Structure formats: C-alpha cells, structure tokens
Amino acid sequence: MNIVQRTYRKHPAQFLVVVAELVLFGVFALASPYFIDLDNVSALLLDASVYVLLGLGLTFVISTGGIDLTPGFGLAFTGVMTALVMSSVGGPAWLAIGAGIMAGIAAGAVLGAANGYLVSYVGMQPMIATLAMMLVAWGAALTITGTSSIPLGDFDAFVAIGNGKTFGITNAVFLFVAAAAVAHFLLKHTIIGRYALAIGSNEEATRLAGVNVKQWKWRIYVLGGVFTGLAGVLMASRLASGKPDVGQSYEMYAIAAAVLGGASLTGGRASVFGTVVGAILIATLRNGAVHLGVSDQHQKILLGVVVLLAVWLDVRRRKKAGDA
C-alpha cells in the first residue's frame, strides 16, 4: 500500500477536500489566466481567512454534536464593537487599537457564553438557541451603529492587519495560520478538545465518567465565540470600518468548511486542518466564479449546493462507519 492509499484510508475526508481544492484551483487557472495572478491569490486567501476563523470556532462546537448559527451576524456585531471601542478610546493609537481588538474578542466570547448557557443550562436545541442569538447579534449591531458604518480609516496599523502584506503575503494569512495552530493544539492536546470530542461521541457516557458536561459544553461555545470575535476584528480591519450589514450567510460557509474537512454533524469527529482546507476551497469557488463571470445569484445557488454536498458527505461517512 503506497503513501497515497494509506493517507486516504486514515484521513479520507481531509484527503478528498485537498484533492478537490487542487482540482478546482487547476480548473480555474486554466479557465482564466488572471486567476493565478499573485494579487488574486492573495485576495483569495484574504477572503478565506474569515471563513477559516469562523470555521475553527464551529469545528469545536460541531465536534460536541451541536451547531452555532451566530457566526455570520456575530461577525458584524463583534466588528462593530471593535470599531466602537477603538474610535471612542482617547490617547495613543496603539492603546485604542488594543482596546478595540480586545473588545471585539470579548464581544464574541459574550455571544458564545450566551449560546452556551441557552444550550447547556437552559436545555434549548442548539439550532433554535443560536438562531435566536443570531438575530439578537444582528439587531444589536444595527442598533449600536444606527445602521451606519463606524469608520476606522485613521488607524493605519489596524487597517494593515487585513489589508497589508508581509513578504508579499497578505497579513491575514499569518493570522489564520496562527489561529489554526492554536486550534489544532487545543483540539488534539488539551482537555477542552478531548472533552468536546467525547461529548460528541457519547454525551451520556462522558457524564457518567464524571465530566461536568454542561460546564464544558458552555466553555466550548465560549471558545467558538472567541473565534467569531477574531473574525469580526479581521473583517473590521479589512473594511476599515465596523459595518452592521456584513456576514450574511457566512455561518453557512463556515459550517460547510468544517463538514467538508471531516467534522461530523452528529459530533465526535473534527479536523482543524480539514476545516482550513475546506474554507480555502469555498473561497476558491467564490473567487473563481467571479473570474468566470458567474452572477451573484448563481454563486449563491452554487454555494448552496456545496453546503448540501458537505452534509451529504457527512451522512455517507456516518453510514460507512455504522456498516463497519
């Protein structure tokens, strides 16, 4: 058995999503000479960076067998909070930037804490609880801003996070690679990752083993919110403003990225590497569709098909695992 076969047998979902990304990239490169332009690839990775950060948070939540629909408008809410605090803090720019970034991350953590409380302690279904909180986050973002953007153009160092480059590579790539490394470590080598997977595999058995399932599930939702906060900070940097109307459908892209990368919607299985590649695949699809002149409405249909495909693949994987 060669290395390709061994890799496929050990990590089938991750193997297939990597192959799909390579094929998709090759097809778009042949279809449009501008697709492989360095500036376009940089823009593609910048677009993927937000999906990656949102997908990382969802990777932990989905591994418990839960779901979180707040990342899309949570992105808007945390970006608005970042901009609001940054533009309100006096003193040197570095202090305002630091305060704004911390506010964005904290806002995400609060959103995750609310989700976790409703799911873990109130006992609400994750889809209903997070759908309600998604609307709360959206409404809060619109209320805080009065439906207008909060400009951040005066904070050049902050804007450079999402728009600048280092060694020719967009800075957002370094951010999502660092975030993915942390997420991988947490999932594979810490107690929160082990408990997330254990809860998703068999929640009752995990509870009988002495684990406080409610408390750890709450913490996992908080962690998911932190990644949403990071994504909101990055989006605010990219747009040089806090906009209350961004993030629509982003939760679907993030869910698709995690599931395409090997996370099971019933819990117990997840892959940070797979989520990252899945997010890049979705960004590649969106970017390539633009180069081919596919209209926005047809892009939505195409991405909807991708979401359905991701769920179908998850169902197939679970059936095969059951047959085995």
Side-chain angles (χ1 to χ4, degrees), residues 274-290:
T275 296
V276 171
V277 180
I280 294 173
L281 186 148
I282 290 171
T284 301
L285 191 62
R286 283 172 58 86
N287 185 284
V290 171

Side-chain angles (χ1 to χ4, degrees), residues 168-284:
I169 301 173
T170 181
N171 291 333
V173 172
F174 298 104
L175 177 61
F176 84 63
V177 168
V182 171
H184 177 79
F185 178 80
L186 290 174
L187 185 65
K188 296 298 183 181
H189 303 290
T190 69
I191 195 168
I192 194 170
R194 288 197 294 271
Y195 282 172
L197 294 169
I199 291 168
S201 294
N202 193 322
E203 184 171 329
E204 184 61 24
T206 305
R207 183 181 291 108
L208 293 174
V211 176
N212 188 332
V213 170
K214 289 183 178 180
Q215 185 181 83
W216 280 101
K217 193 180 286 187
W218 177 81
R219 290 173 177 173
I220 290 161
Y221 274 91
V222 172
L223 179 61
V226 168
F227 281 107
T228 296
L230 282 170
V233 169
L234 177 59
M235 183 61 84
S237 174
R238 283 181 58 183
L239 300 176
S241 65
K243 293 176 66 68
D245 56 351
V246 299
Q248 188 174 6
S249 300
Y250 275 47
E251 69 281 354
M252 292 294 104
Y253 305 153
I255 291 169
V259 176
L260 283 170
S264 173
L265 289 170
T266 58
R269 186 172 64 244
S271 166
V272 168
F273 173 77
T275 296
V276 171
V277 180
I280 294 173
L281 186 148
I282 290 171
T284 301

